[in-house]
Amino acid sequence: MVPGNNTQISEFILLGFSKEPEFQLLIFGLFLSMYLITVFGNLLIILAIISDSHLHTPMYFFLSNLSFVDICFTSTTIPKMLLNIITQTKVITYEDCLTQMYFFLLFVQLDNFLLTVMSYDRFIAICHPLHYTVIMNPVLCGLLVLISWLIGALNSLLQSLLALRLSFCTVLEIPHFFCEFKDVIQLACSNTFLNNVMMYFAIGLFGGGPFTGICYSYSKIVFSICGISSARGKYKAFSTCASHLSVVSLFYCTGLGVYLSSAVTHGSHSSATASVMYTVVTPMLNPFIYSLRNKDIKRFLRRFFGIAAVKGPIVLGLKKCQLLQHSKH
């Protein structure tokens, strides 16, 4: 782009999925449904862990943090997209775009770090069960989560501050339904070499590092499970990490699929559609994976919905009695 075209910009245009007005209502309904399922599903997981004393363990402590991060992750992008559909505008201000980029980067990294910490937790539980309670003590668990937040916040701040120094051209269309960091950087007229270097360095360090840690933990877990003589013992050991392994696979496969598809197709709509997988679908499926494959969570949910089902008729019965008493008077 010609350097002379840059100007002091105040807003970006989010192209989203479709320009056809007849599809907007369908897109709104679909994303609103997925957003509500994500929020309520993850809130149920958090409520289960807080309410049930049997779930006050390191694994569920990390899971509650992951559920909270997933709620924040989807809340960073989806509400703004829904608001734009209602108001029939595709505009996002420069300040809001940078804020969205910051929180999006923060919660993506937190997802990554928490999945890594959870894999370490499973490694200790299966490979060193006798020392589990000593190693995974409350202080260490709290420190691991705190360090994850600090690293994520500092790196997101650094990337956002580097984006502030850029000047942008008159073409301000972002081929996404949110301010995707890479796409915003590509719109800049000024030199983005430093931004690209820091972006790929962060991906290698904070993306590749945790992924290597997860692979190492599970290689040790598989080796340890293979050493168990009984089939029942192998099944019990594997079942304790099956849910986490499913979530890890979903997170990394969808994330990798997004960037591979964007690199191959270079299409705005195909890239935006692919990004839905890890920005919306993965956080939405996480509660289902943990609730369907976890006996403790399923037990709480049965008890929770059982109480709700019992309370309904009782409340209705009390109301009828009150009405009868009023009619007699």
Side-chain angles (χ1 to χ4, degrees):
M1 292 182 182
V2 182
N5 286 344
N6 62 335
T7 182
Q8 184 65 37
I9 60 107
S10 60
E11 59 190 29
F12 292 96
I13 306 296
L14 298 172
L15 295 180
F17 297 99
S18 175
K19 295 180 181 178
E20 304 298 328
E22 57 266 24
F23 290 118
Q24 296 305 306
L25 187 61
L26 176 63
I27 292 170
F28 179 84
L30 180 64
F31 275 84
L32 179 62
S33 302
M34 289 194 292
Y35 178 65
L36 292 175
I37 291 169
T38 302
V39 171
F40 288 120
N42 282 289
L43 280 176
L44 266 179
I45 296 291
I46 294 170
L47 178 64
I49 293 167
I50 292 172
S51 304
D52 195 336
S53 59
H54 295 96
L55 303 181
H56 293 174
T57 63
M59 181 179 73
Y60 291 112
F61 170 70
F62 297 132
L63 177 57
S64 64
N65 278 273
L66 182 68
S67 293
F68 174 73
V69 168
D70 280 341
I71 292 171
C72 297
F73 186 30
T74 51
S75 298
T76 303
T77 56
I78 303 304
K80 175 59 180 174
M81 189 198 75
L82 297 176
L83 180 64
N84 282 1
I85 293 174
I86 292 172
T87 56
Q88 297 183 349
T89 179
K90 294 179 179 290
V91 172
I92 183 169
T93 65
Y94 176 74
E95 293 80 9
D96 287 347
C97 188
L98 284 176
T99 304
Q100 193 179 69
M101 279 198 307
Y102 171 83
F103 285 106
F104 181 81
L105 289 171
L106 170 63
F107 294 124
V108 166
Q109 290 172 101
L110 280 170
D111 254 344
N112 199 16
F113 293 150
L114 286 172
L115 289 174
T116 308
V117 169
M118 291 171 78
S119 71
Y120 176 72
D121 172 76
R122 293 299 83 207
F123 161 68
I124 298 297
I126 293 172
C127 300
H128 305 283
L130 297 178
H131 301 96
Y132 178 73
T133 53
V134 176
I135 296 172
M136 299 305 295
N137 58 76
V139 175
L140 178 64
C141 293
L143 276 174
L144 288 171
V145 172
L146 179 62
I147 291 168
S148 298
W149 274 92
L150 285 174
I151 295 173
L154 289 173
N155 181 54
S156 300
L157 182 62
L158 174 63
Q159 301 293 340
S160 301
L161 289 174
L162 287 172
L164 274 173
R165 56 181 278 277
L166 298 174
S167 57
F168 293 88
C169 302
T170 52
V171 180
L172 301 172
E173 294 182 343
I174 301 172
H176 262 291
F177 62 94
F178 65 97
C179 287
E180 210 275 341
F181 186 76
K182 185 180 177 182
D183 288 323
V184 173
I185 298 301
Q186 288 175 349
L187 292 176
C189 289
S190 53
N191 192 341
T192 60
F193 177 76
L194 181 60
N195 298 81
N196 287 320
V197 167
M198 293 306 297
M199 178 177 66
Y200 288 113
F201 176 76
I203 290 172
L205 182 63
F206 302 127
F211 181 71
T212 303
I214 290 171
C215 291
Y216 175 79
S217 295
Y218 273 102
S219 65
K220 290 291 186 181
I221 288 170
V222 169
F223 184 78
S224 181
I225 289 174
C226 290
I228 299 173
S229 56
S230 66
R232 186 178 179 181
K234 287 181 180 179
Y235 174 78
K236 187 177 179 181
F238 179 75
S239 63
T240 61
C241 57
S243 298
H244 177 256
L245 187 59
S246 301
V247 172
V248 167
S249 303
L250 187 64
F251 179 79
Y252 280 103
C253 289
T254 52
L256 184 63
V258 166
Y259 285 99
L260 287 177
S261 65
S262 62
V264 172
T265 60
H266 298 287
S268 60
H269 294 308
S270 61
S271 178
T273 304
S275 66
V276 173
M277 288 303 296
Y278 79 98
T279 57
V280 185
V281 175
T282 301
M284 181 183 71
L285 291 180
N286 285 355
F288 291 100
I289 293 171
Y290 277 105
S291 59
L292 292 174
R293 300 187 65 90
N294 191 295
K295 292 179 181 178
D296 296 322
I297 298 290
K298 281 196 288 188
R299 185 182 67 246
F300 170 82
L301 292 176
R302 279 197 297 266
R303 191 168 69 248
F304 177 80
F305 287 111
I307 291 170
V310 169
K311 278 185 177 179
I314 292 172
V315 170
L316 288 172
L318 288 171
K319 285 184 177 179
K320 286 181 180 178
C321 290
Q322 287 173 356
L323 289 171
L324 287 171
Q325 287 175 355
H326 283 300
S327 62
K328 285 179 181 178
H329 293 300

